[in-house]
Tab-separated table of all heavy atoms in Angstrom:
chain	number	residue	atom	x	y	z
A	1	ILE	N	0.886	-1.205	-0.032
A	1	ILE	CA	-0.035	0.002	-0.015
A	1	ILE	C	0.812	1.270	-0.035
A	1	ILE	O	0.646	2.202	-0.776
A	1	ILE	CB	-0.963	-0.044	1.206
A	1	ILE	CG1	-1.909	-1.178	1.106
A	1	ILE	CG2	-1.663	1.325	1.396
A	1	ILE	CD1	-2.720	-1.385	2.342
A	2	VAL	N	1.915	1.274	0.833
A	2	VAL	CA	2.781	2.511	0.974
A	2	VAL	C	3.447	2.680	-0.359
A	2	VAL	O	3.606	3.928	-0.825
A	2	VAL	CB	3.704	2.324	2.175
A	2	VAL	CG1	4.818	3.331	2.133
A	2	VAL	CG2	3.027	2.230	3.483
A	3	ALA	N	4.013	1.720	-0.966
A	3	ALA	CA	4.717	1.856	-2.248
A	3	ALA	C	3.808	2.432	-3.310
A	3	ALA	O	4.264	3.383	-4.027
A	3	ALA	CB	5.270	0.494	-2.717
A	4	ALA	N	2.569	1.989	-3.375
A	4	ALA	CA	1.642	2.559	-4.393
A	4	ALA	C	1.290	3.918	-4.079
A	4	ALA	O	1.108	4.820	-4.976
A	4	ALA	CB	0.391	1.660	-4.463
A	5	TRP	N	1.148	4.201	-2.810
A	5	TRP	CA	0.732	5.540	-2.339
A	5	TRP	C	1.848	6.602	-2.650
A	5	TRP	O	1.572	7.725	-3.204
A	5	TRP	CB	0.372	5.462	-0.864
A	5	TRP	CG	0.229	6.737	-0.111
A	5	TRP	CD1	-0.667	7.760	-0.376
A	5	TRP	CD2	0.837	7.179	1.021
A	5	TRP	NE1	-0.619	8.800	0.552
A	5	TRP	CE2	0.352	8.454	1.397
A	5	TRP	CE3	1.781	6.566	1.862
A	5	TRP	CZ2	0.778	9.122	2.656
A	5	TRP	CZ3	2.209	7.246	3.034
A	5	TRP	CH2	1.738	8.457	3.381
A	6	VAL	N	3.043	6.311	-2.335
A	6	VAL	CA	4.097	7.300	-2.518
A	6	VAL	C	4.478	7.456	-3.925
A	6	VAL	O	5.029	8.464	-4.421
A	6	VAL	CB	5.399	6.958	-1.696
A	6	VAL	CG1	5.152	6.910	-0.255
A	6	VAL	CG2	5.987	5.695	-2.179
A	7	ALA	N	4.073	6.501	-4.806
A	7	ALA	CA	4.282	6.621	-6.259
A	7	ALA	C	3.229	7.402	-6.906
A	7	ALA	O	3.398	7.826	-8.061
A	7	ALA	CB	4.413	5.201	-6.887
A	8	ALA	N	2.119	7.628	-6.201
A	8	ALA	CA	0.954	8.314	-6.902
A	8	ALA	C	1.262	9.800	-6.923
A	8	ALA	O	1.926	10.372	-5.956
A	8	ALA	CB	-0.312	8.019	-6.062
A	9	PRO	N	0.619	10.566	-7.731
A	9	PRO	CA	0.814	12.047	-7.808
A	9	PRO	C	0.344	12.664	-6.516
A	9	PRO	O	-0.617	12.199	-5.864
A	9	PRO	CB	-0.071	12.449	-9.017
A	9	PRO	CG	-0.258	11.207	-9.826
A	9	PRO	CD	-0.203	10.137	-8.887
A	10	PRO	N	0.964	13.765	-6.116
A	10	PRO	CA	0.502	14.417	-4.860
A	10	PRO	C	-0.764	15.200	-5.086
A	10	PRO	O	-1.117	15.516	-6.218
A	10	PRO	CB	1.692	15.381	-4.584
A	10	PRO	CG	2.297	15.634	-5.917
A	10	PRO	CD	2.168	14.351	-6.651
A	11	PRO	N	-1.538	15.444	-4.061
A	11	PRO	CA	-2.758	16.243	-4.225
A	11	PRO	C	-2.524	17.720	-4.391
A	11	PRO	O	-1.433	18.235	-4.221
A	11	PRO	CB	-3.457	15.997	-2.881
A	11	PRO	CG	-2.341	15.854	-1.948
A	11	PRO	CD	-1.209	15.179	-2.661
A	12	ALA	N	-3.563	18.396	-4.934
A	12	ALA	CA	-3.504	19.827	-5.122
A	12	ALA	C	-3.737	20.494	-3.763
A	12	ALA	O	-4.333	19.865	-2.889
A	12	ALA	CB	-4.489	20.306	-6.168
A	13	PRO	N	-3.352	21.681	-3.601
A	13	PRO	CA	-3.699	22.392	-2.375
A	13	PRO	C	-5.171	22.572	-2.138
A	13	PRO	O	-5.948	22.575	-3.075
A	13	PRO	CB	-3.013	23.752	-2.562
A	13	PRO	CG	-2.005	23.675	-3.603
A	13	PRO	CD	-2.559	22.568	-4.533
A	14	PRO	N	-5.598	22.647	-0.827
A	14	PRO	CA	-7.005	22.968	-0.607
A	14	PRO	C	-7.351	24.355	-1.067
A	14	PRO	O	-6.513	25.205	-1.296
A	14	PRO	CB	-7.088	22.829	0.902
A	14	PRO	CG	-5.779	23.137	1.375
A	14	PRO	CD	-4.809	22.658	0.392
A	15	THR	N	-8.618	24.499	-1.356
A	15	THR	CA	-9.133	25.868	-1.872
A	15	THR	C	-10.291	26.254	-1.075
A	15	THR	O	-11.108	25.501	-0.629
A	15	THR	CB	-9.475	25.737	-3.396
A	15	THR	OG1	-9.951	26.985	-3.821
A	15	THR	CG2	-10.560	24.755	-3.567
A	16	THR	N	-10.500	27.566	-0.935
A	16	THR	CA	-11.588	28.183	-0.276
A	16	THR	C	-12.565	28.681	-1.303
A	16	THR	O	-13.611	29.289	-0.920
A	16	THR	CB	-11.140	29.322	0.617
A	16	THR	OG1	-10.453	30.265	-0.092
A	16	THR	CG2	-10.303	28.775	1.820
A	17	ASP	N	-12.329	28.566	-2.664
A	17	ASP	CA	-13.119	29.053	-3.650
A	17	ASP	C	-13.382	27.910	-4.675
A	17	ASP	O	-12.741	27.977	-5.766
A	17	ASP	CB	-12.448	30.255	-4.323
A	17	ASP	CG	-13.436	30.870	-5.357
A	17	ASP	OD1	-14.575	30.627	-5.351
A	17	ASP	OD2	-12.851	31.673	-6.186
A	18	PRO	N	-14.255	26.930	-4.352
A	18	PRO	CA	-14.412	25.928	-5.272
A	18	PRO	C	-15.202	26.151	-6.558
A	18	PRO	O	-15.193	25.361	-7.392
A	18	PRO	CB	-15.186	24.823	-4.385
A	18	PRO	CG	-15.945	25.719	-3.490
A	18	PRO	CD	-15.050	26.866	-3.194
A	19	LEU	N	-15.828	27.366	-6.550
A	19	LEU	CA	-16.651	27.643	-7.769
A	19	LEU	C	-15.755	28.140	-8.856
A	19	LEU	O	-14.669	28.769	-8.704
A	19	LEU	CB	-17.657	28.705	-7.437
A	19	LEU	CG	-18.660	28.325	-6.402
A	19	LEU	CD1	-19.604	29.451	-6.108
A	19	LEU	CD2	-19.512	27.186	-6.949
A	20	PRO	N	-16.056	27.943	-10.136
A	20	PRO	CA	-15.240	28.464	-11.287
A	20	PRO	C	-15.226	29.958	-11.323
A	20	PRO	O	-16.242	30.644	-10.760
A	20	PRO	CB	-15.969	27.882	-12.507
A	20	PRO	CG	-17.379	27.534	-12.037
A	20	PRO	CD	-17.144	27.143	-10.638
A	21	ALA	N	-14.239	30.565	-11.829
A	21	ALA	CA	-14.106	32.097	-11.860
A	21	ALA	C	-15.218	32.606	-12.811
A	21	ALA	O	-15.548	32.005	-13.790
A	21	ALA	CB	-12.791	32.420	-12.370
A	22	PRO	N	-15.701	33.829	-12.507
A	22	PRO	CA	-16.771	34.414	-13.409
A	22	PRO	C	-16.127	34.612	-14.840
A	22	PRO	O	-15.000	34.869	-15.012
A	22	PRO	CB	-16.983	35.762	-12.700
A	22	PRO	CG	-16.588	35.553	-11.266
A	22	PRO	CD	-15.442	34.628	-11.306
A	23	THR	N	-17.057	34.483	-15.787
A	23	THR	CA	-16.709	34.760	-17.177
A	23	THR	C	-17.108	36.034	-17.652
A	23	THR	O	-17.771	36.778	-16.966
A	23	THR	CB	-17.276	33.709	-18.064
A	23	THR	OG1	-18.737	33.877	-18.107
A	23	THR	CG2	-17.018	32.279	-17.531
A	24	SER	N	-16.609	36.351	-18.853
A	24	SER	CA	-17.002	37.764	-19.363
A	24	SER	C	-18.479	37.893	-19.696
A	24	SER	O	-18.985	38.948	-19.885
A	24	SER	CB	-16.158	37.985	-20.681
A	24	SER	OG	-16.433	36.942	-21.603
A	25	ASP	N	-19.208	36.691	-19.742
A	25	ASP	CA	-20.593	36.713	-20.002
A	25	ASP	C	-21.481	37.077	-18.808
A	25	ASP	O	-22.703	37.167	-18.918
A	25	ASP	CB	-21.057	35.362	-20.550
A	25	ASP	CG	-20.423	35.015	-21.869
A	25	ASP	OD1	-20.068	36.013	-22.655
A	25	ASP	OD2	-20.235	33.838	-22.219
A	26	GLY	N	-20.842	37.182	-17.656
A	26	GLY	CA	-21.597	37.577	-16.453
A	26	GLY	C	-21.215	36.679	-15.282
A	26	GLY	O	-20.358	35.781	-15.475
A	27	PRO	N	-21.783	36.846	-14.171
A	27	PRO	CA	-21.452	36.099	-12.969
A	27	PRO	C	-21.853	34.668	-13.053
A	27	PRO	O	-22.802	34.428	-13.780
A	27	PRO	CB	-22.186	36.892	-11.773
A	27	PRO	CG	-23.299	37.577	-12.504
A	27	PRO	CD	-22.744	37.896	-13.860
A	28	VAL	N	-21.194	33.754	-12.291
A	28	VAL	CA	-21.584	32.387	-12.283
A	28	VAL	C	-22.840	32.306	-11.452
A	28	VAL	O	-22.877	32.744	-10.269
A	28	VAL	CB	-20.396	31.593	-11.688
A	28	VAL	CG1	-20.872	30.114	-11.535
A	28	VAL	CG2	-19.174	31.707	-12.539
A	29	PRO	N	-23.908	31.507	-11.889
A	29	PRO	CA	-25.026	31.300	-11.107
A	29	PRO	C	-24.751	30.481	-9.870
A	29	PRO	O	-23.916	29.572	-9.883
A	29	PRO	CB	-25.990	30.460	-12.100
A	29	PRO	CG	-25.443	30.727	-13.431
A	29	PRO	CD	-23.955	30.916	-13.303
A	30	THR	N	-25.432	30.839	-8.743
A	30	THR	CA	-25.296	30.080	-7.531
A	30	THR	C	-26.656	29.830	-7.041
A	30	THR	O	-27.639	30.323	-7.517
A	30	THR	CB	-24.411	30.878	-6.468
A	30	THR	OG1	-25.020	32.000	-6.101
A	30	THR	CG2	-22.991	31.142	-6.985
A	31	ALA	N	-26.797	29.197	-5.856
A	31	ALA	CA	-28.048	28.871	-5.265
A	31	ALA	C	-28.844	30.132	-4.916
A	31	ALA	O	-30.030	30.218	-4.959
A	31	ALA	CB	-27.992	28.003	-4.026
A	32	ASP	N	-28.063	31.174	-4.401
A	32	ASP	CA	-28.790	32.409	-4.066
A	32	ASP	C	-28.723	33.525	-5.111
A	32	ASP	O	-29.069	34.586	-4.922
A	32	ASP	CB	-28.172	32.996	-2.690
A	32	ASP	CG	-26.637	33.209	-2.787
A	32	ASP	OD1	-26.079	32.830	-3.933
A	32	ASP	OD2	-26.087	33.755	-1.905
């Protein structure tokens, strides 16, 4: 398990903004 784990790609950093960036067509729709 350890050998397979250390050979796997590392994770990306955590993010506080999981939504995609707004586009030029307007803001990204959300629940509110």
Side-chain angles (χ1 to χ4, degrees):
I1 294 170
V2 170
W5 171 54
V6 299
T15 177
T16 57
D17 185 18
L19 296 175
T23 66
S24 58
D25 296 332
V28 176
T30 64
D32 58 351

